[in-house]
Amino acid sequence: MKLTINRDTFLKAVTQCNIPLVNVGNKALACVALTAAKDLKSPGPDSLALRSVNGLICMEPLVLCKVHEEGDCAVDFKLLRDAVATMPSGDLSIELTRKGKIVVSLGTRRWTRDTILAKDVPQSADPNGADMIMKLGARALLECVSRLEYVVDNVMKHETARQGVYLDVLENELTAVAIGEHVFGYNQPIDAQCSSDGKPVRMLLPSYALKQIREIATENEAAVLEIRTQEKAWSWVHDSSTLLCFVPPFGEFTDWRHYFAQIRPNPICRIPRLAMLESLNAFISTSSNPFALMTLTLFEDSSLSVEPAQDDYFQDRIPVMDVVTKEFPKFTLQAQYLRSTLKAAGSDVVLSLPDVGNIAVLTTDDGFYGGIMLASPPQR
């Protein structure tokens, strides 16, 4: 293998392959595979394909270069990235010697390292074997997913492996749902092209892939993104780069609409977001436990009391609007979860409680909703 490539182009592609290690004992998962060929279709006749896999996600950037000799190898990702980052701008020369060493040079700078076989880095699924292909704008997806990034990062980071954002496209409406012990979602109309013949397209965007997705799409929000779904994986194609995610099936959350239909929440009142956040901030700052439970009680004078579930070190009341119940419930939940949900909501929320079950549902007029588990069933 021998090729010439622009240093900045190569460093950008290598950096895209930066994915968190899952199995640190597997040497191949710490490597990036390099394949130089003259017959790759895109973006030109001479291209370099990179591939890094951590067992859950696979990054596959494809970049222009001048291939002198075809070939492939795999080398430690971090060492390669750090070496190229120290080199000046210009045209890099990359060569694989007969002794299996990779030599990266630019001017008087030269870096050499042992390699392993490229085939030892696991292959991704066949991009041509997709069950469904969906195309949508990067900006629409970013607006929808970013609404839930705060929830995933701050509310669900300690929850089960199910955490992440489920994407659901049905009849040109995109819904993003974050599911763990708590359920959050946001839906908005989009202009999407889908090959599923009217059937909903559903996939899981794991929390460990959110960062990579956002970095790729933010570079060009006007770009049209292509998402390909397969039986056990989905891939995101953008600007000749592919991010493949190997994901578990939806399981019990195959249809989030059915999940919320089972809850059957009843509207109670509308809570002013800013006033509630101010009260929550004061409550949390005066508590010695950052995850303290708080009790909310609705009164006939259209006010909501805020107090600790056990002690009496804090008490506050905030006015609420649009009270639509003749019952005035009392319920207990974790203050941090409520504050995080309100921050993600972005506007006043409608509080709903189910007839049966331990969940409070908060919704906004623009399509956001959050389901927060209660410490016990509401008292009425």
Side-chain angles (χ1 to χ4, degrees):
M1 180 181 75
K2 187 176 181 179
L3 61 98
T4 303
I5 187 170
N6 179 269
R7 175 262 186 193
D8 296 338
T9 300
F10 184 61
L11 180 60
K12 178 181 176 182
V14 173
T15 303
Q16 285 184 353
C17 291
N18 184 19
I19 53 180
L21 279 177
V22 176
N23 182 359
V24 295
N26 189 332
K27 182 180 178 181
L29 297 185
C31 291
V32 56
L34 308 175
T35 302
K38 295 185 178 182
D39 58 350
L40 298 177
K41 295 181 180 179
S42 175
D46 286 6
S47 299
L48 176 67
L50 296 85
R51 182 176 75 256
S52 62
V53 180
N54 71 354
L56 294 172
I57 55 179
C58 175
M59 277 298 302
E60 295 185 330
L62 184 66
V63 292
L64 277 172
C65 69
K66 178 61 177 177
V67 176
H68 306 291
E69 295 179 10
E70 293 185 335
D72 56 38
C73 67
V75 65
D76 186 283
F77 158 78
K78 186 177 185 302
L79 295 177
L80 176 63
R81 181 197 60 188
D82 293 347
V84 175
T86 63
M87 294 184 175
S89 296
D91 288 337
L92 286 174
S93 174
I94 302 177
E95 183 176 358
L96 180 65
T97 69
R98 292 182 178 180
K99 293 183 178 181
K101 291 182 178 292
I102 187 172
V103 179
V104 181
S105 58
L106 196 161
T108 59
R109 195 77 56 86
R110 179 185 174 94
W111 179 81
T112 303
R113 193 73 184 179
D114 291 331
T115 65
I116 64 173
L117 298 177
K119 66 180 182 179
D120 291 339
V121 179
Q123 297 281 344
S124 66
D126 180 7
N128 297 318
D131 298 324
M132 290 181 288
I133 297 178
M134 176 176 62
K135 295 182 179 181
L136 52 85
R139 179 178 293 274
L141 183 59
L142 284 177
E143 288 177 352
C144 194
V145 172
S146 62
R147 191 81 174 264
L148 299 182
E149 276 190 309
Y150 181 88
V151 173
V152 173
D153 291 341
N154 294 276
V155 180
M156 305 175 70
K157 60 184 178 181
H158 300 301
E159 295 186 2
T160 67
R162 292 177 298 167
Q163 72 180 49
V165 175
Y166 285 77
L167 300 180
D168 184 325
V169 178
L170 178 63
E171 297 178 354
N172 281 345
E173 183 178 75
L174 172 66
T175 299
V177 186
I179 297 177
E181 294 177 10
H182 303 266
V183 180
F184 303 89
Y186 178 61
N187 62 288
Q188 65 182 32
I190 62 166
D191 183 15
Q193 301 176 13
C194 185
S195 64
S196 61
D197 299 326
K199 298 179 181 179
V201 177
R202 299 188 178 106
M203 65 200 74
L204 172 65
L205 173 60
S207 57
Y208 52 73
L210 277 174
K211 181 180 179 181
Q212 283 77 15
I213 290 290
R214 190 164 187 83
E215 287 177 354
I216 293 173
T218 303
E219 292 181 4
N220 183 7
E221 291 188 349
V224 175
L225 309 173
E226 184 175 290
I227 298 177
R228 302 167 179 171
T229 66
Q230 301 180 35
E231 182 180 0
K232 296 182 179 180
W234 64 269
S235 58
W236 162 297
V237 181
H238 169 62
D239 192 23
S240 301
S241 297
T242 300
L243 170 61
L244 182 87
C245 289
F246 303 95
V247 299
F250 276 86
E252 69 220 65
F253 294 108
T254 299
D255 193 339
W256 64 269
R257 293 179 179 86
H258 178 66
Y259 175 77
F260 268 91
Q262 288 181 318
I263 297 175
R264 294 191 298 274
N266 301 310
I268 301 297
C269 64
R270 182 181 294 271
I271 300 177
R273 174 177 174 269
L274 294 180
M276 190 72 231
L277 279 175
E278 183 179 351
S279 184
L280 283 168
N281 289 333
F283 174 88
I284 293 171
S285 64
T286 57
S287 173
S288 58
N289 180 3
F291 297 98
L293 293 175
M294 65 183 302
T295 297
L296 302 179
T297 306
L298 182 64
F299 288 91
E300 294 185 29
D301 62 355
S302 296
S303 66
L304 192 67
S305 71
V306 180
E307 56 189 2
Q310 297 177 339
D311 302 320
D312 57 356
Y313 57 84
F314 180 89
Q315 191 170 22
D316 192 15
R317 278 204 186 195
I318 64 168
V320 296
M321 305 165 287
D322 304 334
V323 178
V324 294
T325 180
K326 295 181 180 179
E327 298 178 337
F328 298 94
K330 178 179 181 180
F331 53 97
T332 301
L333 45 70
Q334 198 172 95
Q336 284 281 13
Y337 284 140
L338 179 57
R339 182 170 69 171
S340 297
T341 305
L342 288 173
K343 286 184 177 181
S347 61
D348 295 348
V349 297
V350 174
L351 167 67
S352 300
L353 296 173
D355 292 329
V356 179
N358 301 346
I359 190 169
V361 178
L362 304 176
T363 57
T364 65
D365 293 336
D366 68 345
F368 176 86
Y369 60 88
I372 305 178
M373 298 300 295
L374 303 179
S376 59
Q379 301 177 24
R380 290 179 168 88

